[in-house]
């Protein structure tokens, strides 16, 4: 058999999967977004921009997604970096393994169950009771943007910790000695050496968390209680409740477009930031 | 051990002064180790190191891996604090002064260049850490000059990973030199280079050191490297300094079998001190023979000792040499011959003392004729060239 043919044969399953499960649905959604809602719901072929013109009706969903996804990513980063730093550079190997397992363990439980647990913590008989018992007044936590933020930071933290941990662990510790040898005090060595060399991990973590957060719908559904909803929730609502497939498709296409633009801009930015390095751990 | 070396230091001091570019300038003690000891749990990495480093000299720590030479260097750099004893720089105790506040720079074993910075930024790193920061054009000038010093002009904008091992090494050297350190510490800097390149770098490093007058402290396990570059070598073993001296000193007057074996090649005959007559010692070998040699260091009757004999101080003859010709003679059988150009190295088998290496210069070979493997011959040497050393 020709090597070329063989290569194509091996690529076939993945290619077919990619084509039927990703490209085709996207094409279908794109076409649907120009259609109209049938009388009994579903989709009627047409060519109109009405659905896109109607997008502002779902402004709240976009606004929530586009504020809470970046904020969630940043909060994740702010919590994950010190944690990853501690794990990679300040623990003995024995403790490191144990602590890493503790970071992973929550993943073994369904996100659904873990989110429900937060309902009890943030709900009426949880933290708010404690806070009012301490005389700090009545607060509403559940069904607020804050609750959703807590939920997504909690859920996505490991995805941020691991890439940063890996890049910090791979960091050649002799570089820190070299920096110190050249007259650089520890805190400035962190800014001059550790931080720039861990940027690939930071970029990977942010990308991972941000993309997944943009499509999130479970956590806002559970902890936002219908008050704080994401684009994902809007889509569930449009496709399954109001059965307006055309409008839902237009919302979906817009979300994909926003993601493409932000991710591309982000990649451009990080690449420039990295100064053209393909691989910082080259040495 | 420390006391012996104090006297040796003074001895060296004079010699060093005589060799330095300005013979009238007094030798300045730039760094000292006074009983410096480093313990990691139960492991004694450095054991009571006593050493004075003089301004402008090229000093090497030589020893096998795990002998404590790197620990010694790291204590000078400030990466390790001695468990006991003192490290002095310019006469001041700096035991707990961290590395970033010592006017000392290091060339790391694998260079440890910053991969996210280009060559110029790597080299200027040290200057940019100074407070107040030197002006930019001053930094740029210094970088340009240093790049010229290490013969890499125009390499400033290059990326670290675009360069060969030899080039990276020069950058590492430049990054340290630009700070004009009191001590330049080199931790096995040639280990990652191939043989040919290593030789070139050794020569270059040595001439650079002479030219700049910066004090170099090198750590190496390569005796050839240490012998060819250093003014003085500290031979280390098991965390201790066994002997300090010029390469010639160590070669001609090793104070132990270990040093004789580590610096150059040597033949050894073990025995017990039987008679002492001034500097002359008669050693009784296990088979009852008495061999004569010159004592190095203190030996007493009954001590276990070793005769050390350099291959080039042995001679071969076809007929039994007369008493006047030779202090000692042994019948041997030729086992192997290696042609080395100017010399021929013979491996010969003695009856009672194992195999000997004999280095025969070309002239002597012409006179005696060439020996073939299997030939019977006589091995002989002068008593004065046989050193009696303490057994290890």
């Amino acid at each position: 058999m020709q090597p070329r043919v063989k290569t194509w044969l091996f690529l076939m399953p993945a290619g077919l999967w990619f084509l039927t499960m990703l490209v085709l649905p996207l094409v279908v959604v794109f076409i649907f977004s120009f259609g109209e809602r049938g009388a009994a719901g579903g989709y009627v072929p047409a060519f109109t921009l009405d659905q896109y013109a109607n997008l502002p009706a779902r402004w709240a969903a976009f606004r929530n997604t586009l504020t809470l996804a970046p904020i969630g990513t940043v909060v994740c980063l702010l919590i994950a970096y010190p944690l990853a730093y501690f794990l990679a550079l300040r623990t003995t190997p024995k403790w490191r393994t144990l602590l890493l397992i503790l970071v992973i363990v929550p993943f073994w439980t369904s996100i659904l169950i873990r989110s429900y647990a937060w309902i009890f913590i943030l709900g009426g008989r949880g933290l708010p009771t404690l806070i009012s018992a301490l005389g700090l007044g009545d607060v509403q936590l559940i069904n607020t943007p804050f609750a959703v933020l807590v939920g997504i930071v909690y859920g996505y933290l490991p995805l941020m910790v691991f890439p940063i941990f890996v890049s910090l662990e791979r960091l050649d510790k002799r570089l820190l000695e070299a920096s110190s040898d050249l007259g650089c005090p520890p805190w400035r060595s962190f800014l001059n050496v550790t931080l720039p060399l861990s940027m690939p991990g930071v970029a990977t973590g942010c990308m991972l968390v941000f993309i997944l957060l943009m499509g999130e719908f479970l956590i806002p559904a559970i902890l936002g209680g219908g008050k704080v909803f994401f684009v994902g929730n809007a889509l569930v609502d449009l496709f399954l409740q109001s059965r307006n497939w055309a409008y839902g498709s237009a919302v979906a296409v817009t979300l994909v477009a926003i993601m493409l633009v932000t991710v591309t801009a982000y990649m451009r930015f990080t690449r420039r930031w990295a100064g053209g390095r393909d691989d910082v751990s080259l040495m | 051990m420390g006391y012996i070396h104090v006297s040796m230091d003074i001895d060296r001091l004079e010699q060093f002064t005589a060799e330095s570019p300005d013979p009238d300038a007094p030798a300045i003690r730039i760094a000292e180790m006074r009983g410096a000891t480093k313990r990691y749990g139960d492991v004694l990495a450095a054991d009571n190191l006593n050493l004075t480093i003089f301004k402008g000299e090229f000093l090497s720590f030589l020893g096998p891996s795990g002998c404590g030479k790197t620990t010694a260097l790291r204590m000078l750099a400030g990466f390790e604090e001695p468990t006991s004893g003192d490290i002095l720089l310019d006469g001041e105790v700096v035991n707990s002064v961290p590395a970033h506040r010592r006017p000392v720079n290091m060339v790391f074993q694998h260079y440890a260049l910053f991969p996210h910075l280009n060559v110029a930024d790597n080299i200027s790193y040290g200057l940019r850490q100074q407070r107040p920061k030197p002006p930019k054009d001053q930094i740029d000038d210094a970088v340009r000059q240093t790049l010229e010093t290490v013969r890499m002009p125009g390499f400033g904008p290059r990326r670290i990973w675009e360069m060969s091992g030899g080039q990276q090494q020069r950058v590492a050297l430049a990054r340290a030199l630009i700070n004009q350190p009191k001590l330049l510490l080199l931790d096995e800097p040639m280990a990652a280079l191939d043989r040919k390149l290593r030789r070139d770098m050794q020569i270059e490093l040595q001439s650079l050191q002479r030219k700049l007058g910066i004090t170099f402290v090198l750590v190496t396990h390569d005796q050839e490297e240490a012998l060819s570059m250093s003014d003085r070598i500290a031979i280390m073993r098991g965390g201790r300094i066994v002997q300090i001296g010029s390469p010639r000193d160590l070669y001609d007057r090793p104070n132990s079998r270990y040093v004789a074996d580590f610096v150059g090649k040597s033949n050894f005959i073990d025995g017990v001190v039987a008679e002492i007559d001034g500097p002359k010692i008669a050693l009784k070998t296990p088979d009852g023979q008495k061999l004569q040699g010159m004592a190095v260091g203190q030996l007493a009757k009954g001590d276990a000792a070793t005769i050390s004999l350099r291959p080039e101080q042995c001679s071969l003859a076809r007929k039994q040499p007369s008493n006047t010709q030779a202090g000692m003679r042994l019948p041997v059988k030729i086992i192997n011959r290696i042609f080395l150009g100017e010399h021929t190295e013979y491996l010969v088998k003695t009856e009672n003392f194992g195999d000997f290496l004999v280095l025969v210069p070309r002239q002597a070979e012409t006179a005696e004729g060439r020996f073939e493997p299997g030939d019977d011959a006589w091995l002989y040497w002068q008593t004065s060239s046989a050193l009696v050393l303490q057994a290890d």
Side-chain angles (χ1 to χ4, degrees):
Chain A
M1 212 186 289
Q2 296 254 318
R4 267 183 85 94
V5 179
K6 222 188 213 166
T7 309
W8 280 110
L9 233 104
F10 274 113
L11 284 176
M12 276 271 273
L16 272 176
W17 177 271
F18 185 72
L19 211 69
T20 54
M21 300 293 176
L22 193 80
V23 177
L24 209 62
L26 273 174
V27 170
V28 169
V29 167
F30 189 69
I31 293 169
F32 275 24
S33 70
F34 295 104
E36 281 172 350
R37 184 182 189 267
Y43 166 73
V44 175
F47 186 80
T48 164
L49 291 173
D50 285 359
Q51 312 303 343
Y52 286 99
N54 207 15
L55 276 178
R58 294 287 170 169
W59 161 243
F62 280 104
R63 188 197 55 211
N64 287 339
T65 308
L66 288 173
T67 51
L68 281 171
I71 292 173
T73 308
V74 169
V75 173
C76 268
L77 176 63
L78 292 179
I79 297 174
Y81 199 97
L83 178 60
Y85 183 87
F86 178 79
L87 285 172
L89 298 166
R90 290 280 180 271
T91 48
T92 59
K94 203 180 83 186
W95 276 99
R96 185 176 307 149
T97 318
L98 189 77
L99 292 169
L100 278 175
I101 289 172
L102 284 180
V103 176
I104 305 169
V105 159
F107 261 159
W108 296 348
T109 320
S110 156
I111 181 77
L112 194 67
I113 294 168
R114 286 186 286 143
S115 298
Y116 270 112
W118 278 105
I119 293 185
F120 289 99
I121 297 171
L122 301 173
R125 277 183 285 175
L127 273 178
T129 317
L130 190 70
I131 290 170
S132 65
L134 288 171
L136 297 169
D138 290 334
V139 283
Q140 162 82 26
L141 292 178
I142 195 75
N143 302 343
T144 62
F146 174 75
V148 176
L149 189 66
V150 167
I152 58 186
V153 168
Y154 167 76
Y156 287 94
L157 195 62
L159 289 181
M160 187 67 95
V161 170
F162 277 99
I164 299 175
F165 169 77
V166 169
S167 68
L168 283 172
E169 212 207 8
R170 280 197 312 185
L171 177 81
D172 187 348
K173 311 300 176 289
R174 281 171 307 200
L175 295 177
L176 296 173
E177 279 192 347
S179 175
S180 161
D181 185 63
L182 292 164
C184 195
W187 63 272
R188 237 163 47 208
S189 284
F190 172 79
L191 294 178
N192 287 341
V193 179
T194 312
L195 192 61
L197 288 178
S198 61
M199 279 320 278
V202 171
T204 308
C206 287
M207 194 73 108
L208 215 59
V209 169
F210 181 73
I211 291 175
L212 289 173
L213 279 186
M214 289 285 278
E216 178 62 41
F217 90 100
L218 191 68
I219 294 168
I222 295 171
L223 296 173
K227 290 199 178 75
V228 184
F229 43 85
F230 275 28
V231 176
N233 306 87
L235 289 174
V236 171
D237 180 50
L238 286 170
F239 276 94
L240 302 180
Q241 309 294 309
S242 38
R243 292 191 27 85
N244 191 343
W245 289 16
Y247 188 38
S249 294
V251 171
V253 167
T254 310
L255 180 66
V256 170
I258 291 172
M259 256 151 98
L260 275 177
V261 169
T262 46
V263 168
T264 311
Y266 181 77
M267 277 165 84
R268 278 266 172 86
F269 175 73
T270 50
R271 195 167 306 154
R272 185 177 309 164
W273 208 91
R277 276 175 300 157
D278 332 318
D279 187 1
V280 266
S281 63
L282 212 86
M283 290 254 319
Chain B
M1 180 147 285
Y3 299 104
I4 301 164
H5 288 138
V6 171
S7 63
M8 291 194 80
D9 278 342
I10 293 162
D11 205 42
R12 286 302 101 243
L13 185 133
E14 282 157 12
Q15 187 183 328
F16 184 71
T17 317
E19 280 173 7
S20 60
D22 180 6
D24 296 329
I28 299 166
R29 293 163 175 255
I30 202 147
E32 277 177 77
M33 304 182 103
R34 288 191 191 156
T37 301
K38 181 72 193 180
R39 222 177 250 286
Y40 299 105
D42 293 338
V43 184
L44 203 55
D47 184 6
N48 190 27
L49 303 181
N50 288 289
L51 172 74
T52 304
I53 301 169
F54 297 107
K55 193 175 178 188
E57 78 168 323
F58 196 136
L59 180 98
S60 295
F61 286 104
L62 175 65
S65 58
C67 71
K69 55 190 194 296
T70 301
T71 306
L73 198 73
R74 292 174 63 83
M75 285 196 285
L76 287 171
F79 296 134
E80 309 286 351
E81 200 175 322
T83 316
S84 63
D86 289 323
I87 306 288
L88 284 84
L89 277 177
D90 266 344
E92 273 173 54
V93 176
V94 291
N95 292 358
S96 53
V97 175
H100 69 268
R101 277 198 232 121
R102 290 193 194 188
V104 165
N105 288 115
M106 184 137 149
V107 175
F108 289 81
Q109 189 169 4
H110 299 283
Y111 318 138
L113 297 173
F114 303 115
H116 58 301
L117 303 177
N118 65 18
V119 170
D121 289 345
N122 261 281
I123 293 176
S124 63
Y125 195 91
L127 293 183
R128 285 185 282 122
Q129 301 316 317
Q130 291 176 6
R131 295 294 179 269
K133 226 183 212 178
K136 195 180 175 306
D137 50 337
Q138 199 175 315
I139 292 178
D140 291 346
D141 278 351
V143 168
R144 202 172 319 117
Q145 265 177 30
T146 314
L147 274 171
E148 269 164 30
T149 307
V150 298
R151 298 202 287 128
M152 287 182 72
F155 273 70
R158 296 274 193 106
R159 299 265 150 210
I160 294 305
W161 67 83
E162 292 169 354
M163 293 188 303
S164 68
Q167 291 171 330
Q168 293 191 5
Q169 212 224 10
R170 283 158 196 269
V171 175
L173 194 61
R175 184 177 70 173
L177 283 176
I178 198 169
N179 308 300
Q180 299 175 321
K182 292 241 158 78
L183 288 180
L184 183 75
L185 310 174
L186 301 118
D187 185 10
E188 305 253 6
M190 326 275 190
L193 302 180
D194 63 57
R195 205 183 156 77
K196 171 80 175 68
L197 200 58
R198 199 182 313 167
R199 194 75 211 108
D200 294 346
M201 271 316 288
Q202 284 169 6
I203 294 167
E204 204 176 320
L205 207 59
Q206 201 183 15
S207 62
L208 205 63
Q209 193 263 340
R210 295 262 154 84
K211 199 173 89 189
L212 300 174
I214 291 178
T215 313
F216 276 36
V217 181
L218 173 82
V219 154
T220 182
H221 65 268
D222 183 344
Q223 55 135 320
E224 224 177 290
E225 191 168 295
L227 286 175
S228 63
M229 295 203 290
S230 324
D231 295 316
R232 287 195 304 153
I233 301 173
I235 307 261
M236 292 196 67
R237 180 194 199 183
R240 290 167 165 275
I241 295 176
V242 187
Q243 189 174 4
I244 308 177
S246 70
R248 183 176 291 272
D249 260 10
L250 295 173
Y251 190 84
D252 289 344
R253 292 186 64 78
N255 68 2
S256 62
R257 177 182 175 146
Y258 177 79
V259 175
D261 203 16
F262 210 87
V263 178
K265 292 174 179 171
S266 203
N267 300 302
F268 297 106
I269 303 167
D270 293 328
V272 175
V273 176
E275 290 159 28
I276 301 178
D277 173 19
K280 273 192 197 162
I281 282 192
L283 195 75
K284 199 172 170 196
T285 62
D287 66 322
Q289 287 197 59
K290 273 189 183 165
L291 301 178
Q292 298 230 312
M294 312 304 284
V296 176
Q298 292 294 314
L299 285 168
K301 223 168 165 178
D303 281 358
T306 303
I307 282 186
S308 165
L309 202 56
R310 296 293 184 191
E312 70 274 15
Q313 284 163 336
C314 300
S315 304
L316 288 175
R318 293 206 180 269
K319 290 190 200 124
Q320 183 170 359
S322 65
N323 263 337
T324 48
Q325 234 180 328
M328 276 307 307
R329 58 209 157 169
L330 297 168
V332 294
K333 201 179 247 329
I334 309 288
I335 299 174
N336 199 9
R337 186 181 68 200
I338 299 165
F339 177 65
L340 296 173
E342 202 54 31
H343 296 271
T344 304
E345 189 181 82
Y346 287 96
L347 185 65
V348 302
K349 192 181 177 61
T350 63
E351 222 164 280
N352 295 313
F353 308 121
D355 295 346
F356 267 57
L357 277 177
V358 182
L359 204 60
V360 179
R362 193 146 196 170
Q363 259 177 325
E365 199 181 38
T366 325
E368 261 325 292
R370 237 186 326 160
F371 295 90
E372 298 296 331
D375 284 1
D376 287 316
W378 283 87
L379 168 71
Y380 66 97
W381 64 85
Q382 302 298 324
T383 310
S384 60
S385 56
L387 302 178
V388 184
L389 312 172
Q390 264 175 341
D392 294 322

